[in-house]
Amino acid sequence: HQFIHQNDSIINDSYSFYTHHSTHSNPMTRHQIIVGLNNSAVTRMKRTLTSFNGKKPFSALYNDIVEFFSMFNNYKQYRRMLKVQTPPCVPFIGVFVADLTFLDEGNPDDVTVTYDDAASIRQQNVLINVAKRRMLATYLRDTLRFGSHKYSLEPLPTIQRKLLAPPHLSDEELYRCVV
């Protein structure tokens, strides 16, 4: 039971860390915490997860957290938050790269313009797709605004200690934590 208490403490700290970064404009770190909590080694700790935070079952808290980064409706909740977010902010790089890829590959580089010249002869010109370049520039400008202010992180001593000196458990001890 000592291991369950220790694991419970680690998961509670992860949730506290998540909450801290929720209020400090750091969606990238928030997403990485979700990835860590979604690790199969964590989700197999059934007894630990049922006692998570002592208030709500782990699955309910986890679902609240994951809902924020849900791909449902193209990251709707995340995008809503980002739209009103003031700098500084560390946006989630996955959505950023996906948006840039969509803008770049979803729009042609060139546009063909067909027209009749003065002698009524049909002409075609291939031009640079300026609209695509404007969309890319607007998206980059909107995203880069988050880096326009200094981002100062406050140290969290409890988290720092646990990251610098993680518990070392034998395979047998780890197995007891899981079952």
Side-chain angles (χ1 to χ4, degrees), residues 22-94:
S22 295
T23 59
H24 286 82
S25 310
N26 196 338
M28 184 66 184
T29 299
R30 290 165 65 184
H31 187 269
Q32 294 308 308
I33 292 167
I34 291 169
V35 169
L37 290 174
N38 199 31
N39 182 294
S40 62
V42 174
T43 58
R44 285 192 306 253
M45 298 187 301
K46 294 177 176 88
R47 285 187 288 176
T48 299
L49 300 179
T50 55
S51 67
F52 176 67
N53 210 19
K55 298 173 190 165
K56 260 182 163 176
F58 173 76
S59 59
L61 283 172
Y62 176 78
N63 290 339
D64 291 347
I65 294 169
V66 169
E67 191 175 308
F68 178 76
F69 279 106
S70 171
M71 292 176 15
F72 182 71
N73 285 334
N74 197 18
Y75 296 95
K76 183 178 180 178
Q77 287 190 12
Y78 168 72
R79 290 179 190 280
R80 188 180 305 139
M81 180 278 304
L82 210 54
K83 200 173 268 189
V84 296
Q85 184 66 52
T86 57
C89 177
V90 181
F92 174 48
I93 193 78

Side-chain angles (χ1 to χ4, degrees), residues 108-126:
D109 290 329
D110 306 315
V111 290
T112 303
V113 177
T114 304
Y115 63 94
D116 293 333
D117 65 8
S120 296
I121 299 174
R122 185 148 306 255
Q123 299 287 326
Q124 283 190 333
N125 281 349
V126 178

